[in-house]
Amino acid sequence: MRADARRNRQRILDAAAATFAAEGIAVPVDEVARRAGVGVGTLYRHFPTKEALFEAIVIDRVDTLLASASVVDESQDPAGALFSFLAKMAGDVSSKHDLLDALSRAGVELKERWGSKFDQLRAAIDVLRQRAVDGGAVRADVGTDELLSLVVGVCLGSKEIGAAHGCDRMLRVVCDGLRTRAAAEA
Amino acid sequence: MRADARRNRQRILDAAAATFAAEGIAVPVDEVARRAGVGVGTLYRHFPTKEALFEAIVIDRVDTLLASASVVDESQDPAGALFSFLAKMAGDVSSKHDLLDALSRAGVELKERWGSKFDQLRAAIDVLRQRAVDGGAVRADVGTDELLSLVVGVCLGSKEIGAAHGCDRMLRVVCDGLRTRAAAEA
DNA sequence: TACAATGCGGAACGGTGGCTCCGCTTAGAG
DNA sequence: CTCTAAGCGGAGCCACCGTTCCGCATTGTA
């Protein structure tokens, strides 16, 4: 691979990360190319479709998130570990529009296209959730998918309606709702 | 106004209500016209833009919702009234894609374009919320905008990720999170 | 320096969707 | 029944966006 090609590829990735984070997948391909300082043709030489470029960005984001799940998991306090991961996730999703778009695609497409990457995320959350439930701090009747939906929903809701305030307070309400009564009294 | 014109106008409204409910605002205008059994030209004679037709439908939906807020408000139990209105709202928003789209538009546009109608909805919720807070059953640190965001968020989250299950369980988590500790123990 | 091969830019294409325009139809008054 | 104005349909215009194509530039080797 020629040196200029490698350089351009990296430029495109950088520009796409920034642009998708700011505008989500709705941004036109031409805008990403413009920001990268290349022509659209160049972009399409490196990535077969817009979707493929988007995936490259998002997969990287999810990997980062997964790493922070393992870190948090070392913690002694299972409920705290779960909640702090959810907060971390909400923060990421709120600040990176592409993650939000990726996670809020209609269920089918999400599971088909992203396949294992999505499962990995769900599995990571499930470990934390199960541990917190076993510890008796978190209610058992809320599944991992619902947890995911709640976090994504909170981010969507805060973005769309109350642009002013972040989603922290809303997430706190959700986490309080997730606690068992016994845990809440403690 | 000629009789056939009035008839067509009504057909368009009916078709739009059904189509927007099922598909949201993303559905092409031609599809609405097709379902109404008229040409696009006829549709545009009655409504200046797609947006205008959409508004006509949604305003009607919000009015219905507002009516049910007043009904619920007669209840003796303030927290129950709030929660049952939120549930009613979540049910409507989940089953009518147009309402979801309308409420999840970016904040600015929502407040500018829908103006008073949106304020009416917010005011209705605020009455219920304030009463529940005064009764000591619901935490005071969550504002009306956040309540709206939470409901819309729950609906968005349930639609996007876990298409299978409804949003009832997620809403229950949120409502539990909204209760004061004292109320939860009772 | 010469010369392939690799890579590049951006004009152009095709599809989509909102909206307009105009020749034809039809309601309904006289 | 006639006649006119209100109303209708849908082909077509325009703008947007993803993707392709090809003549030209750049790289890196001999």
Side-chain angles (χ1 to χ4, degrees), chain B residues 1 38 131 174 176:
Chain B
M1 195 187 230
V38 304
R131 208 157 291 185
V174 167
D176 284 353

Side-chain angles (χ1 to χ4, degrees), chain B residues 2 8 38-42 45:
Chain B
R2 251 164 60 171
N8 276 331
V38 304
V40 254
T42 303
R45 168 172 329 283

Side-chain angles (χ1 to χ4, degrees), chain B residues 158-172:
Chain B
S158 80
K159 178 180 73 72
E160 310 286 6
I161 290 196
H165 48 69
C167 58
D168 327 2
R169 206 175 327 171
M170 282 163 48
L171 189 63
R172 209 176 318 143

Side-chain angles (χ1 to χ4, degrees), chain B residues 83 132-133 135-140 175-186:
Chain B
F83 293 154
V133 168
V138 164
R139 58 203 283 175
C175 289
D176 284 353
L178 288 171
R179 265 186 258 273
T180 57
R181 195 163 304 175
E185 281 161 13

Side-chain angles (χ1 to χ4, degrees), chain A residues 2 33 51 54 90 148 172:
Chain A
R2 249 164 60 172
E51 235 1 77
F54 186 72
L148 252 169
R172 209 176 318 142

